[in-house]
Amino acid sequence: MVLVFAEAIKGQFKKAAFEAVTYGAQTAQLLGSQCVALTLGDVQNAGQLGVYGANKVLNINGAAFENFDSQVFASAIAQATEKLGATVVVLSHTSTGKSLLGRLAARLNAGSVAGAKSLPDVSGGGFKVTKGVYSGKAIATYEISSPIKLISLAGNEIPLKATGNEVAVETLEVSAPASKVKVLSVKRQEGIVPLPEATTVVSAGRGMKGPENWGIVEDLAKVMGATTACSRPVADADWRPHHEHVGQTGVAIRPNLYIAIGISGAIQHLAGVNQSKVIVVINKDPEAPFFKAADYGVVGDLFEVVPKLTAAMEKFKAA
Amino acid sequence: MKLLVCISKTPDTTSKISFTPDGSKFNDAGIAFIMNPYDEWYALVRACELVEKNVGTVTLINVGGADNDQIIRKGLAIGATDAVRVDAEPKSALFIAKQIAEHAKSQNYDLIFCGKESIDYNGSEVGAMVAEFLDLPFVSYASKLEVNGGTSTVERDIEGGVETLEVSGPFVVSAAKGLAEQRIPNMMGIMKAKSKPFTVVAPVAFPDLAVPVSYTLPKEKTGVKLVSPDNMEELVRLLHEEAKVI
Ligand SMILES: Cc1cc2nc3c(=O)[nH]c(=O)nc-3n(C[C@H](O)[C@H](O)[C@H](O)COP(=O)(O)OP(=O)(O)OC[C@H]3O[C@@H](n4cnc5c(N)ncnc54)[C@H](O)[C@@H]3O)c2cc1C
């Protein structure tokens, strides 16, 4: 049986949870087995996970799950795994899932693949999964040999499939350990899709000359419903907040569309964005290395090109 | 204060990655190796700052062969007190974490640091595994960490925001950007590092349960399609009709 931990933020599922369930259901099909989705704490409308292929949805409720503590959550998921006899456990490769995967591996004595990008190859009774390595510069196939297999699924890799129907939610009881972690506050920017989840990203670099010029980048992002990002020197100079820094030493992203404005395309920058499906580069230097990694390029002055692109996007959106 | 910092060795960030012709192994010819940036810049430096402000020791631990000694010496030059190398080939995350936990279980560390991920396998797993083996809390992606007696305050990066936590007692923390500023070791540090205690220990037996068996390089881009800067309508059309991303 395949167990999927469907994570929720403030009781609501994000796309990552639906992707994990879709992945779990397809894996269960490959194995000729069932997919069970597990939710922890107060979750609204957990039955909708059935739509993405969960045969069954379980909920473990309790005050212990109000805030995230990897020790408490991992204990609950491990107990569920053992009670149900699950042989594959799927998580999302998010800040939450990443904190849980290693704990579950140690606890269940199970091999794990962090950031999987494909369904398992189960031919010949094996279990092989691919994942990005060397910061997106290569892809590795991992073989898991333990009886229990653990996977955290990279975002934006598995197309959502709404194949089933809502199912009833059943409750499960486990014993939760006492938490040694107290959450004092959680601050999230409201109204913005966080970078790791964004499907469209508009990013700008040192070619912008200074923070006062970012209006044109924000205008383009707004028209496209995109999230903004930046190169490292831009964040280091405090032109933009640190959470916008993408690259090898910043956030690694994999949107459908990445638009790079006034960014040279240094190898460390590419390492964090090269898994984007489509890359557009706007740069006045035709020799900028980024063009080699791009699908579409515009050689020109960004201060002229970007407002024109925004206008063209507006026209397209209005049509 | 007694601190442990887990460090790993990774290819330099500028490395061009390639594999043996059969795709089974990383090709390390011509590759320069460094200490994983998250371990060095953030985890190690923050640990050093904490013992400089209070009193205490920073122990480095690495699982690897003798060719890792160069990065361990660098860590000592940056400010660690002593170092342990577990002499084994680090093939899987759980194996590595087991070795670290074996060392740490009798040492009563106040804090165990690691980087948020290594830039080669990008797993982000070892810290959580060590925490589970030792039954300790784990706080990932810390961008700020203050310790007051037995209680620590940590800010951690979450998707699109920041979470502030209070942790009582020892725990494992993974370091992200912001936790500290990179330090370049000075001449005195490099000299002193030569005489700092550095022990090599044998590993405990533990299986590798998940290992990479083959590698491929991503599909090369087929070549950029250039669009005139005066025709952004064309770019929009291509993104819509050809690339189908808007
Ligand atoms: C260990 C290490 C880790 C690193 N990690 C990262 C990382 O995570 N992320 C990251 O981004 N970098 C990282 N870097 C830095 C990286 O090497 C580059 O220095 C950085 O990405 C360059 O940023 P940039 O492209 O914004 O600036 P630049 O390289 O200065 O490029 C600016 C570009 O803007 C163009 N331009 C200028 N004016 C205009 C105009 N008017 N119109 C159009 N184009 C214009 C220029 O032609 C140029 O190509 C790292 C470096 C190291 C050593």
Side-chain angles (χ1 to χ4, degrees), chain B residues 46 50 111 113 143-147 152-154 171 173 179:
Chain B
R46 186 61 191 143
L50 286 172
L111 279 176
F113 288 80
S143 54
K144 212 168 170 185
L145 165 66
E146 297 297 340
V147 182
S152 308
T153 315
V154 198
F171 63 102
V173 61
L179 195 66

Side-chain angles (χ1 to χ4, degrees), chain B residues 27-240:
Chain B
N27 176 9
D28 60 8
I31 296 281
F33 286 94
I34 57 169
M35 194 186 323
N36 182 42
Y38 294 107
D39 307 348
E40 180 189 327
W41 303 351
Y42 309 127
L44 174 57
V45 175
R46 186 61 191 143
C48 291
E49 287 171 356
L50 286 172
V51 299
E52 285 158 11
K53 221 166 64 177
N54 304 283
V55 190
T57 56
V58 175
T59 300
L60 294 174
I61 187 162
N62 169 262
V63 180
D67 49 351
N68 289 14
D69 288 355
Q70 145 229 348
I71 65 142
I72 298 171
R73 289 280 172 217
K74 183 175 185 195
L76 291 169
I78 287 171
T81 318
D82 55 9
V84 180
R85 178 167 61 79
V86 182
D87 194 23
E89 193 188 340
K91 276 204 275 193
S92 66
L94 200 57
F95 174 88
I96 296 166
K98 181 70 185 174
Q99 306 306 325
I100 295 169
E102 272 302 305
H103 160 80
K105 71 179 187 197
S106 57
Q107 298 289 321
N108 293 315
Y109 287 109
D110 295 298
L111 279 176
I112 300 177
F113 288 80
C114 56
K116 78 164 191 187
E117 65 176 40
S118 68
I119 62 168
D120 47 7
Y121 292 102
N122 310 104
S124 221
E125 293 182 280
V126 170
M129 290 169 170
V130 171
E132 187 65 27
F133 279 130
L134 298 172
D135 197 21
L136 294 174
F138 173 56
V139 178
S140 60
Y141 302 118
S143 54
K144 212 168 170 185
L145 165 66
E146 297 297 340
V147 182
N148 281 308
T151 314
S152 308
T153 315
V154 198
E155 285 184 17
R156 73 183 276 260
D157 295 339
I158 52 172
E159 284 75 13
V162 184
E163 191 173 68
T164 308
L165 308 162
E166 198 176 81
V167 192
S168 50
F171 63 102
V172 181
V173 61
S174 88
K177 182 176 180 179
L179 195 66
E181 295 282 339
Q182 183 182 6
R183 271 189 195 179
I184 311 291
N186 58 24
M187 209 49 212
M188 193 159 77
I190 295 168
M191 293 309 292
K192 272 195 188 159
K194 293 190 175 137
S195 55
K196 287 182 175 173
F198 179 177
T199 40
V200 177
V201 299
V204 291
F206 197 80
D208 291 305
L209 302 175
V211 287
V213 289
S214 66
Y215 299 90
T216 52
L217 294 171
K219 268 192 268 140
E220 294 250 348
K221 294 271 177 186
T222 46
V224 58
K225 195 176 248 183
L226 290 178
V227 179
S228 156
D230 296 317
N231 194 357
M232 285 303 98
E233 284 75 17
E234 173 64 3
L235 179 59
V236 170
R237 188 191 69 77
L238 287 167
L239 291 177
H240 178 59

